[in-house]
Amino acid sequence: MTSIFERMTGQTVALLGDFAVDEYLLCKTSRISREAPVLVLDFEERMLLAGCAANVLANLVALQASVIPFGVVGNDDEGQFVLDFIKRQGQTTEGLLQVPGYTSRKTRVMGGALYSPRQQIARIDYKHSRTVPREQRTAMKNHFFETCTEVDAVIVADFGLGLFDAGMIELVSQIKDITSAPVFIDSRYQLGRFRGATVITPNVSEAENITDLDTSSSDQLIECCTRLHRATGAPNVVLKRGKMGMVASCQGSARIIPAATKTTVDPTGAGDTALAALALAYAAGAELGEASEIANMAAGISVMKETSATVSIEELMNFRKDMTVD
């Protein structure tokens, strides 16, 4: 596996997805309110991070990949925050369009006692309702197709924020015709509409919605993957099960991978970490099962950190070494 870790670095990935801002309101728990059975929080700090596809990008960069992002952000302070964040990561922003009012924001209220980790208490989502002008969308499509011929992997990250309408989904189906690079599709709400994936990466609830199955047993997990292969035409399925780990299914041959850690501080963004590690490992030549193991380890490291976190190659190698010793 060490050779795979080494080959994961230095790759170039085209990333098409929904870009957003993650806002964290960091608070200290104070007392129970007299007005209602709710916590009173003492506000301490506001923190902004790049979220959704931008967090996938951050994880790819942390694993020493180069990323060419494509998507839309708002022509506002939050949209500029995303652009500046990507530039600070050393990546281009030429494939990102700016449309007035387009940026989405997820606000997480985090609370905890003085010497304990903060936990997420509530989340507030601010979603845009704007559309991308046809001329801008056409220009982005042409640039995206030109880029896909020169990359090691393509990631499609649909977080349900409005980019992936029928036209964009049709564009995704054409990627396989112009590149030999593997195509990874992660869609929050409409995975069944996408075609042309090399690997799909649904979580359990998404998979159950598509297959109409309860995945509480091993047999049902395997059957779920079989139905996902049929429903999407994807030869490879990586089913994300949160604290239960993953299932990697290649051409119908499935392998259940238990979670890499039992310690969870904050699961936010762990799926993004797993997607980045999976794509780079698979593109580096790992078989699906091995790539999924690496993704599972990356997610395990991520959930032991607060907020949306990234994982480095060094952390992965050390984590793998510790697992081997144990």
Side-chain angles (χ1 to χ4, degrees):
M1 192 174 282
T2 301
S3 62
I4 293 295
F5 288 144
E6 293 170 351
R7 294 201 299 273
M8 284 171 66
T9 64
Q11 297 186 87
T12 301
V13 179
L15 173 62
L16 174 65
D18 289 308
F19 289 79
V21 171
D22 281 346
E23 178 185 38
Y24 290 86
L25 302 181
L26 306 181
C27 307
K28 184 173 67 176
T29 52
S30 176
R31 62 190 184 280
I32 302 296
S33 173
R34 296 179 182 178
E35 302 165 358
V38 296
L39 287 171
V40 175
L41 304 175
D42 293 334
F43 174 79
E44 294 186 326
E45 182 183 355
R46 176 177 182 258
M47 180 170 64
L48 291 182
L49 298 175
C52 295
N55 190 46
V56 178
L57 179 145
N59 276 277
L60 289 165
V61 172
L63 293 168
Q64 300 179 36
S66 296
V67 187
I68 307 173
F70 293 88
V72 185
V73 298
N75 188 15
D76 51 29
D77 290 344
E78 291 175 335
Q80 191 60 48
F81 173 83
V82 174
L83 295 177
D84 291 343
F85 171 83
I86 293 172
K87 290 175 182 176
R88 288 197 301 272
Q89 297 287 314
Q91 310 305 306
T92 179
T93 58
E94 290 182 5
L96 293 171
L97 306 178
Q98 284 189 279
V99 174
Y102 197 91
T103 302
S104 295
R105 182 172 84 251
K106 297 180 181 181
T107 299
R108 295 175 176 88
V109 181
M110 310 291 290
L114 181 60
Y115 297 109
S116 65
R118 295 186 180 95
Q119 301 292 326
Q120 188 173 155
I121 294 173
R123 195 179 97 181
I124 306 165
D125 287 0
Y126 302 85
K127 296 182 179 179
H128 68 83
S129 57
R130 304 300 177 94
T131 57
V132 182
R134 180 179 298 177
E135 297 79 8
Q136 287 182 289
R137 185 182 290 265
T138 299
M140 182 174 68
K141 172 184 174 181
N142 293 338
H143 187 192
F144 177 70
F145 275 172
E146 290 172 4
T147 301
C148 283
T149 62
E150 304 171 352
V151 297
D152 299 294
V154 179
I155 294 177
V156 176
D158 172 20
F159 288 85
L161 300 182
L163 177 65
F164 292 94
D165 58 12
M168 191 61 72
I169 290 174
E170 174 61 26
L171 179 151
V172 170
S173 72
Q174 300 169 20
I175 298 173
K176 66 181 187 305
D177 299 326
I178 60 172
T179 182
S180 58
V183 180
F184 299 80
I185 297 181
D186 190 292
S187 176
R188 184 67 52 87
Y189 303 114
Q190 49 184 354
L191 182 61
R193 298 180 61 195
F194 284 89
R195 295 294 181 271
T198 308
V199 184
I200 58 172
T201 59
N203 64 31
V204 167
S205 62
E206 295 157 1
E208 289 180 339
N209 287 336
I210 293 172
T211 62
D212 196 28
L213 273 177
D214 175 7
T215 58
S216 56
S217 73
S218 296
D219 288 344
Q220 289 168 317
L221 279 171
I222 305 305
E223 176 60 23
C224 180
C225 290
T226 299
R227 293 191 188 186
L228 286 169
H229 286 296
R230 288 201 298 260
T232 65
N236 301 291
V237 175
V238 176
L239 182 59
K240 297 175 292 187
R241 304 174 63 213
K243 64 180 181 180
M244 301 298 291
M246 297 180 177
V247 180
S249 180
C250 178
Q251 304 289 0
S253 177
R255 173 183 171 191
I256 297 176
I257 304 171
T261 180
K262 294 182 180 179
T263 302
T264 299
V265 173
D266 188 348
T268 305
D272 303 337
T273 304
L275 176 60
L278 175 72
L280 293 178
Y282 189 87
E287 298 293 335
L288 184 70
E290 185 178 25
S292 300
E293 275 191 52
I294 292 172
N296 192 49
M297 287 190 288
I301 298 169
S302 175
V303 300
M304 291 190 287
K305 303 179 181 182
E306 285 191 358
T307 71
S308 298
T310 61
V311 173
S312 69
I313 289 289
E314 290 73 22
E315 285 177 299
L316 274 173
M317 295 178 72
N318 289 334
F319 191 84
R320 172 65 175 173
K321 187 184 301 181
D322 291 342
M323 289 177 64
T324 304
V325 171
D326 293 341

